[in-house]
């Protein structure tokens, strides 16, 4: 018998909470401490009510063994925070077009492939910002075959990213002339990014802790993974750093969020200080 959200069970027992956090960490990399207990309790209770499951062990079994994985995906969508905007931490995009890409393509013949991956892309503001920065500020943009990849574990935000419709808040840092150039109004206070840019980015649902999901990502020249690993524990961050290292091409770069430091996660990378930002580089194989 289905139960309503107001009749949802009380918070998880300490054992249930620990078991759930271990499960979620193993499946997604997301790590929640006791400090997030209320946040987790509410969301699990809401999903148990929606699924018509009264006992937590039964719900955990549903998450573990449901063939379609639909309930786990729905819960993950509910657990993740996806607030961002265009040109967020723009100094890293400036670094990309003023310094990093010129170094990446040095000695590379024109017409060759250049691959950039936005990992944890949320609703798409980051990969679209990269695309606009390339078109506007990188003089060699027409010299190479640029492939832009964007991924997230949340299927709902990916659908929004592919639709490319944004409200004023998401566009607050975007210069007016770029809004007029790359967006069209689609209603009161809502703008849609041009179709050519929507079609230029390969969006995919990726769980970065699943080897099968990340295996296709190889020889990436630049990875943006900003404010994603803050949701992982120390072990999860080290594992993610190693995965990104394997995904990068030799001498490729990764950009992290302003509060993140690769030196706390891995010794595999070389810190590179540019005028606009610090990025981390995979050294050339010896």
């Amino acid at each position: 018998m289905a139960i309503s959200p107001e009749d949802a069970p009380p918070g998880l027992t300490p054992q249930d909470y620990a078991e759930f956090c271990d499960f979620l960490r193993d499946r997604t990399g997301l790590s929640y401490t006791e400090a997030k207990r209320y946040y987790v309790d509410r969301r699990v209770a809401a999903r148990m009510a929606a699924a018509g499951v009264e006992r937590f062990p039964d719900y955990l079994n549903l998450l573990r063994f449901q063939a379609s994985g639909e309930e786990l995906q729905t819960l993950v969508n509910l657990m993740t925070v996806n607030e961002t905007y265009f040109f967020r931490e723009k100094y890293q995009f400036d670094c990309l077009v003023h310094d990093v890409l010129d170094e990446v393509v040095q000695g590379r013949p024109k017409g060759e492939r250049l691959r950039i991956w936005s990992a944890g892309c949320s609703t798409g503001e980051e990969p679209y910002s990269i695309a606009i920065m390339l078109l506007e500020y990188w003089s060699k943009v027409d010299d190479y075959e640029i492939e832009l990849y964007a991924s997230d574990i949340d299927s709902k935000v990916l659908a929004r990213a592919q639709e490319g419709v944004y409200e004023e808040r998401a566009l607050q840092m975007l210069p007016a002339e770029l809004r007029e150039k790359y967006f069209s109004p689609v209603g009161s206070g809502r703008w849609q990014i041009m179709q050519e840019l929507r079609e230029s980015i390969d969006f995919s649902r990726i769980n970065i802790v699943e080897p099968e999901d990340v295996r296709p990502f190889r020889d990436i020249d630049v990875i943006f993974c900003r404010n994603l690993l803050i949701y992982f524990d120390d072990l999860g961050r080290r594992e993610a750093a190693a995965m990104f290292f394997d995904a990068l091409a030799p001498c490729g770069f990764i950009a992290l969020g302003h509060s993140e430091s690769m030196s706390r996660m891995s010794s595999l990378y070389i810190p590179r200080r540019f005028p606009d930002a610090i990025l981390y580089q995979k050294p050339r194989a010896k």
Side-chain angles (χ1 to χ4, degrees):
M1 181 179 65
I3 54 177
S4 63
E6 57 266 25
D7 296 325
L12 306 178
T13 68
Q15 181 179 347
D16 288 345
Y17 185 75
E19 189 174 4
F20 173 76
C21 289
D22 287 345
F23 166 79
L24 197 65
R25 191 263 175 210
D26 290 342
R27 288 292 187 92
T28 69
L30 298 173
S31 178
Y32 292 96
T33 64
E34 189 65 29
K36 291 286 188 179
R37 179 67 176 271
Y38 180 70
Y39 177 90
V40 173
D41 276 355
R42 290 189 62 190
R43 283 153 180 77
V44 170
R47 285 312 309 162
M48 288 177 64
V53 179
E54 296 187 20
R55 298 175 62 252
F56 174 74
D58 295 333
Y59 183 66
L60 190 59
N61 283 335
L62 175 65
L63 295 175
R64 281 185 170 133
F65 303 118
Q66 185 183 39
S68 67
E70 181 180 354
E71 180 58 31
L72 177 58
Q73 183 64 63
T74 301
L75 180 64
V76 167
N77 293 354
L78 194 63
M79 297 288 289
T80 50
V81 178
N82 297 287
E83 184 173 351
T84 186
Y85 51 87
F86 281 83
F87 283 14
R88 183 179 184 180
E89 297 176 16
K90 182 176 176 289
Y91 59 88
Q92 290 186 328
F93 300 138
D94 291 333
C95 182
L96 177 72
V97 297
H98 295 153
D99 297 290
V100 169
L101 289 181
D102 285 343
E103 181 174 325
V104 166
V105 302
Q106 190 173 10
R108 186 178 298 189
K110 292 183 179 181
E112 286 203 355
R113 184 177 62 183
L114 177 67
R115 309 181 84 188
I116 301 173
W117 177 16
S118 168
C121 70
S122 186
T123 44
E125 288 90 335
E126 179 176 272
Y128 287 134
S129 293
I130 293 170
I132 292 172
M133 290 292 296
L134 292 174
L135 291 170
E136 290 293 317
Y137 304 112
W138 192 44
S139 61
K140 300 182 179 69
V141 67
D142 294 324
D143 293 342
Y144 297 92
E145 181 183 343
I146 300 174
E147 297 178 357
L148 293 177
Y149 300 91
S151 67
D152 203 279
I153 195 172
D154 187 330
S155 57
K156 286 188 176 180
V157 299
L158 282 171
R160 290 169 57 191
Q162 290 173 302
E163 183 185 19
V165 175
Y166 300 96
E167 297 182 355
E168 293 285 346
R169 183 175 180 180
L171 303 173
Q172 60 185 325
M173 302 302 294
L174 195 69
E177 62 271 18
L178 296 184
R179 181 189 301 200
E180 295 295 329
K181 184 174 183 179
Y182 292 105
F183 293 79
S184 299
V186 289
S188 178
R190 301 172 76 239
W191 300 70
Q192 185 172 37
I193 198 162
M194 61 192 298
Q195 182 177 350
E196 289 82 355
L197 283 188
R198 299 200 307 273
E199 294 175 350
S200 73
I201 298 172
D202 183 354
F203 288 99
S204 56
R205 199 209 70 83
I206 295 295
N207 181 350
I208 67 170
V209 305
E210 287 289 343
E212 288 297 321
D213 282 4
V214 299
R215 187 167 288 119
F217 290 82
R218 289 294 181 267
D219 294 321
I220 305 296
D221 293 296
V222 183
I223 297 173
F224 281 79
C225 179
R226 306 190 302 173
N227 307 308
L228 170 60
L229 301 183
I230 58 175
Y231 299 105
F232 287 32
D233 60 16
D234 288 342
L235 176 59
R237 293 185 192 105
R238 290 195 296 271
E239 291 173 342
M243 179 277 294
F244 286 127
F245 188 86
D246 289 340
L248 281 169
C251 302
F253 292 88
I254 184 168
L256 301 178
H258 74 277
S259 64
E260 301 170 297
S261 173
M262 185 61 76
S263 63
R264 302 189 193 122
M265 307 178 201
S266 173
S267 60
L268 295 171
Y269 297 81
I270 301 171
R272 291 290 307 278
R273 185 180 295 274
F274 295 97
D276 294 305
I278 297 174
L279 273 67
Y280 301 91
Q281 187 175 31
K282 176 178 180 176
R284 187 180 300 278
K286 296 182 181 179

